[in-house]
Structure formats: C-alpha cells, structure tokens
Amino acid sequence: MRVSEEVVRHVGHLARIELSEADIARLSRELSGVVSMADKLRELDTEGVEPTTHAISVTNVFREDVCKPSFERETILENSAGRDEKTFLVPQVVE
C-alpha cells in the first residue's frame, strides 16, 4: 500500500508540523516502506505461535522480600553533620 502525499499533509496538519514539499515526498516514500513491511509480515503463518512480549524468556531476578533488623537510628545519626532528635538536617536548596 502506498501512503499518498495528501495523507502525509493531513497527518502533518493534525500534528501541527510544518512540512516542506521535500519532507512530504520523503515521508510518503518512507511511510510507504513501513506499511509495505507490515503487509509482508501479515503474510507469515503464525498459526500455533504463542504471543509473547519479549523475544527471549524473562524471569523475575528479585529476591524474596524478607524483613530483617536494621541499624539503630542513633547509630546512623552519629555520623551526621546536622541533625535533630530523629532526622538528618540538610541545608535548604530551594527558596
């Protein structure tokens, strides 16, 4: 299927894109190639091929979420340049 220059102009208008005549001619050729490739893919026999989202098998690589003890708050705050009773104090960077 060929994408006409008129279709390219219309899509450019909808997208509010200024296209020169050279751009329109080039895009018409390029989009025609894309549509032609999609048409070729439709000819393939995909009967029995399971739909996938990835070309290779993807598995979850995360570890199980396990609760465990953390550091004591006081130990962590000991190394702070500025602190109040429970939190770090940092310089204000936004007015």
Side-chain angles (χ1 to χ4, degrees):
M1 177 182 164
R2 174 151 165 63
V3 177
S4 69
E5 291 183 1
E6 183 178 321
V7 170
V8 173
R9 279 189 191 90
H10 179 68
V11 172
H13 173 74
L14 293 174
R16 305 295 191 255
I17 300 172
E18 273 190 52
L19 297 170
S20 68
E21 287 302 314
D23 289 336
I24 292 170
R26 180 180 51 82
L27 287 170
S28 176
R29 284 191 311 274
E30 289 177 0
L31 291 173
S32 294
V34 170
V35 171
S36 169
M37 182 57 68
D39 287 340
K40 278 187 178 181
L41 290 174
R42 280 195 200 109
E43 296 172 6
L44 292 174
D45 178 20
T46 57
E47 191 67 35
V49 177
E50 188 176 330
T52 60
T53 56
H54 296 281
I56 58 173
S57 178
V58 178
T59 58
N60 187 353
V61 295
F62 298 113
R63 64 168 170 77
E64 187 177 333
D65 192 12
V66 178
C67 291
K68 59 183 182 179
S70 182
F71 293 103
E72 295 292 324
R73 181 188 313 259
E74 191 58 38
T75 303
I76 294 172
L77 289 173
E78 283 176 358
N79 296 318
S80 169
R83 62 180 267 196
D84 64 9
E85 291 181 30
K86 295 183 178 182
T87 61
F88 291 103
L89 296 178
V90 296
Q92 181 176 349
V93 295
V94 178
E95 293 181 28

